[in-house]
Amino acid sequence: MQMAKKEAGFSTWLQRVRRTGEFSDVKVCVNGDVFRLHMLPLLNASAYFRNLPSSSNGSPSLSKDGSTRIINITDFPGGVEGFSAIADFCYLVKPNYTIQNVAAIRAAAEFLGVVDVLESTKKFLYANIFVQWQASVSFLRHYRRLGSPVDEYVEIRCMKVIVVACAKAFGETKHLTAPMFLASRTPGNQQTSPCQTSTEILVQMSSLPDSYASEVIDALVDAEVNLNLKCRQGRSVRSWLNSLIDDNCQTDRARCWVVLCLSRMLIAGAPENQPWMELSSQYWCTLLEHVDHLMTLVDGAMKMRLSDVKKVLEHRIGVSLDELDDYLHCYRFRPETLMSMINYYVDEADPDQQSLEEVAGEVDGFLWNYAETGSIAPDIFLSLFKAFPASCRESHDTTYASIEKLLAKRTDCSSEDRQQLWRLVDPSKLSPAVNEAALNNPGFLSQPHILESVLQHHSEELSNVDVNDGQNLRHIMQKVINASLKLLEESSRHSNEIVAAEPVCRPARRQTARQL
């Protein structure tokens, strides 16, 4: 009893002199802050202080002010807060650990060689941070590096917890569905499932600082983590991806990390040889769809990461366009992305005629959609159309309608662009109704070769008309006259354009002649 009172009294006295600085025989300067302390408790608890030389010996960190030693510690890991906690521990005050200060105190204890604090911080970290992935994510989200080995200690363990949890959730996910809510759309009322756990981990992972998110993804790829094939083949996989990326992620940066994570895991686990799609083209195409869109919203290093993934997805999907289990034009690819996939398909897939015709039909659907919004440049329209042999399209009705819509939207198209677009249309492949509409379209009729064919057609009509059928004869002759006048007008306009360009060309020719 008396011993306990004596210990309590000594502890109280130690803590009092710690607070007041009474009888101090050492000043410790930490990052500019001065602590008036006592060597005896410091020597008792800290290997750092025990290993200090007894005299300064020219050391800039040691000096004396009378009988008081002065110790300077600059760039102290853990900062003033960490040192203060260790100093308190030397005076028998147990540290009060929190999520916010435990790393700083551990860094200070490691520097000062306080073994008991190292052990107690380890227990706190494993009990409160490394115990579950949510706590690890929350810790890393707010962590500020200390310039100490503690950084690597906590970061590696936190990321390992996250990777293991993600691998477990992905392994347990048997099917993918968009999140289901109960009566109230609050987090507590959302149904839980392995699918939802996977969604939550991905969303939380994407909220990490870029360096941590990148390392977590690298670790997942190295560990060959991925959703199983049955999940990726599910018909609801697209709705799950859209919900995950568009609804659950709150920022474009977070969406980028989720898309990068899923894409890199998919690419790493894909078979080396065809078929690339494994009958899960919805998964592949939806990821490319999101990568394609996000690249228009970000820049810098993130855009480069997306670009690297996009090239692989374009290639894998492109050479497998005739294996898709869904219509290609259901996806919202930018024209440049579609062009890249078509080039891979034509150059590497070695498709047969039927496959070419099917994919050409899909591309025509894209051209129609692009034309409706005016979101395609004339040169890319031309390239996409010409990527397939003429024999792949039996009808040009859709092509005619797409060009008509595009030119109505893109009023900035040059006359040359307009001419090149209209030249794509083969009048012989137009249905009677569309052909009739085309012959009343001034833009379509402005092409000399079209006018010549129209004139020839009317001439044939005229030769087959009964000479006694005066009314029909006059009607067809009027058509011939109109077509002839239009042909003369277009020929004259074309000649004037050549003459207008001639002064620009002549100096160049004269200069060439002088050089010769």
Side-chain angles (χ1 to χ4, degrees):
M1 185 72 173
Q2 288 180 347
M3 182 65 70
K5 287 183 179 180
K6 286 181 180 180
E7 289 179 358
F10 179 67
S11 175
T12 302
W13 179 82
L14 268 181
Q15 293 167 25
R16 180 173 65 81
V17 297
R18 161 73 179 98
R19 288 194 307 272
T20 63
E22 295 177 75
F23 314 114
S24 171
D25 59 354
V26 61
K27 290 181 181 178
V28 183
C29 302
V30 178
N31 298 348
D33 280 36
V34 178
F35 293 82
R36 298 176 61 85
L37 303 171
H38 308 81
M39 283 303 296
L40 183 60
L42 297 180
L43 293 170
N44 181 59
S46 167
Y48 173 86
F49 288 104
R50 288 195 296 272
N51 294 329
L52 284 176
S54 57
S55 62
S56 62
N57 291 326
S59 172
S61 62
L62 297 174
S63 60
K64 267 201 168 189
D65 180 11
S67 61
T68 302
R69 299 182 72 184
I70 301 175
I71 302 172
N72 285 296
I73 306 177
T74 57
D75 299 324
F76 182 77
V80 173
E81 180 185 14
F83 183 85
S84 180
I86 298 301
D88 287 343
F89 178 80
C90 294
Y91 288 81
L92 305 182
V93 178
K94 290 184 179 180
N96 181 27
Y97 297 128
T98 66
I99 301 296
Q100 292 72 31
N101 71 15
V102 64
I105 295 175
R106 182 175 179 83
E110 191 172 74
F111 183 89
L112 296 173
V114 183
V115 177
D116 290 343
V117 175
L118 284 174
E119 188 60 32
S120 60
T121 54
K122 178 181 178 180
K123 290 179 180 178
F124 182 89
L125 286 166
Y126 274 92
N128 296 276
I129 297 175
F130 306 151
V131 65
Q132 56 180 356
W133 69 265
Q134 293 93 334
S136 294
V137 168
S138 178
F139 180 82
L140 288 180
R141 192 184 297 149
H142 302 99
Y143 186 64
R144 296 294 178 267
R145 295 178 67 87
L146 303 168
S148 160
V150 170
D151 294 333
E152 185 176 355
Y153 178 85
V154 296
E155 289 167 350
I156 288 178
R157 283 160 179 77
C158 282
M159 286 188 282
K160 183 178 180 181
V161 170
I162 298 168
V163 170
V164 169
C166 188
K168 182 174 183 291
F170 275 34
E172 292 177 350
T173 300
K174 304 304 179 186
H175 64 279
L176 297 173
T177 57
M180 298 291 291
F181 289 86
L182 299 177
S184 173
R185 292 178 63 87
T186 59
N189 286 328
Q190 218 173 357
Q191 292 179 345
T192 58
S193 67
C195 171
Q196 185 178 327
T197 303
S198 301
T199 299
E200 187 181 354
I201 292 177
L202 287 168
V203 171
Q204 293 298 321
M205 179 275 296
S206 70
S207 69
L208 292 172
D210 288 353
S211 60
Y212 296 143
S214 179
E215 289 189 44
V216 168
I217 293 174
D218 288 343
L220 287 169
V221 173
D222 291 342
E224 300 181 354
V225 175
N226 199 5
L227 291 166
N228 65 53
L229 180 57
K230 184 177 180 180
C231 288
R232 301 197 302 273
Q233 289 176 335
R235 299 302 298 175
S236 59
V237 66
R238 191 180 185 196
S239 63
W240 177 75
L241 283 170
N242 289 338
S243 174
L244 166 63
I245 297 165
D246 294 332
D247 301 334
N248 287 274
C249 295
Q250 300 303 308
T251 65
D252 290 331
R253 177 190 156 281
R255 295 183 182 100
C256 288
W257 282 122
V258 168
V259 168
L260 283 169
C261 181
L262 294 174
S263 299
R264 287 190 56 198
M265 289 192 298
L266 176 65
I267 292 167
E272 291 298 324
N273 301 310
Q274 288 182 282
W276 310 114
M277 299 296 99
E278 310 164 311
L279 302 177
S280 58
S281 62
Q282 269 199 43
Y283 194 73
W284 287 82
C285 291
T286 306
L287 284 173
L288 177 58
E289 186 179 39
H290 284 284
V291 170
D292 195 30
H293 173 66
L294 288 168
M295 282 192 64
T296 66
L297 305 176
V298 298
D299 53 18
M302 184 62 80
K303 189 168 186 176
M304 291 180 63
R305 292 187 185 99
L306 290 172
S307 177
D308 291 341
V309 166
K310 181 171 179 282
K311 290 174 185 176
V312 181
L313 291 176
E314 285 174 344
H315 177 250
R316 295 291 182 92
I317 297 172
V319 296
S320 304
L321 285 179
D322 51 7
E323 299 172 12
L324 304 188
D325 57 357
D326 207 349
Y327 290 114
L328 182 64
H329 66 262
C330 294
Y331 299 95
R332 297 165 295 176
F333 299 128
R334 287 185 297 156
E336 297 81 3
T337 301
L338 179 63
M339 187 73 252
S340 178
M341 289 191 290
I342 295 302
N343 286 335
Y344 284 126
Y345 178 67
V346 174
D347 295 341
E348 299 184 27
D350 192 24
D352 56 27
Q353 181 65 22
Q354 182 179 352
S355 298
L356 280 171
E357 291 175 3
E358 291 175 356
V359 175
E362 292 275 8
V363 169
D364 287 349
F366 270 103
L367 293 176
W368 171 275
N369 293 334
Y370 295 148
E372 275 198 314
T373 58
S375 58
I376 185 171
D379 60 326
I380 299 181
F381 190 105
L382 289 163
S383 298
L384 280 169
F385 185 88
K386 292 179 178 179
F388 300 90
S391 59
C392 290
R393 295 178 175 91
E394 293 184 0
S395 171
H396 277 197
D397 285 2
T398 302
T399 304
Y400 173 84
S402 298
I403 294 172
E404 191 174 38
K405 284 181 176 293
L406 180 62
L407 294 178
K409 287 285 185 180
R410 299 290 294 261
T411 56
D412 58 335
C413 285
S414 66
S415 59
E416 183 179 355
D417 288 337
R418 292 173 179 271
Q419 289 290 329
Q420 288 182 333
L421 287 169
W422 282 126
R423 286 192 197 106
L424 298 177
V425 180
D426 183 349
S428 66
K429 292 187 176 182
L430 295 176
S431 64
V434 175
N435 187 62
E436 184 68 24
L439 295 180
N440 291 310
N441 183 331
F444 182 72
L445 281 175
S446 65
Q447 304 172 88
H449 75 284
I450 296 296
L451 288 169
E452 289 174 0
S453 66
V454 170
L455 186 59
Q456 181 179 356
H457 174 70
H458 291 332
S459 298
E460 292 173 355
E461 277 188 313
L462 187 62
S463 64
N464 294 326
V465 174
D466 189 343
V467 293
N468 298 318
D469 189 355
Q471 182 177 357
N472 198 18
L473 193 64
R474 284 192 299 273
H475 177 67
I476 296 176
M477 286 185 67
Q478 187 61 50
K479 287 183 178 181
V480 172
I481 293 170
N482 291 341
S484 300
L485 291 174
K486 185 67 176 175
L487 180 60
L488 287 171
E489 179 184 342
E490 288 302 319
S491 299
S492 175
R493 183 185 63 78
H494 185 61
S495 299
N496 290 335
E497 288 178 353
I498 295 175
V499 171
E502 191 69 17
V504 178
C505 300
R506 281 174 184 164
R509 283 202 288 266
R510 281 199 295 268
Q511 183 177 1
T512 304
R514 282 198 298 271
Q515 290 173 348
L516 292 173

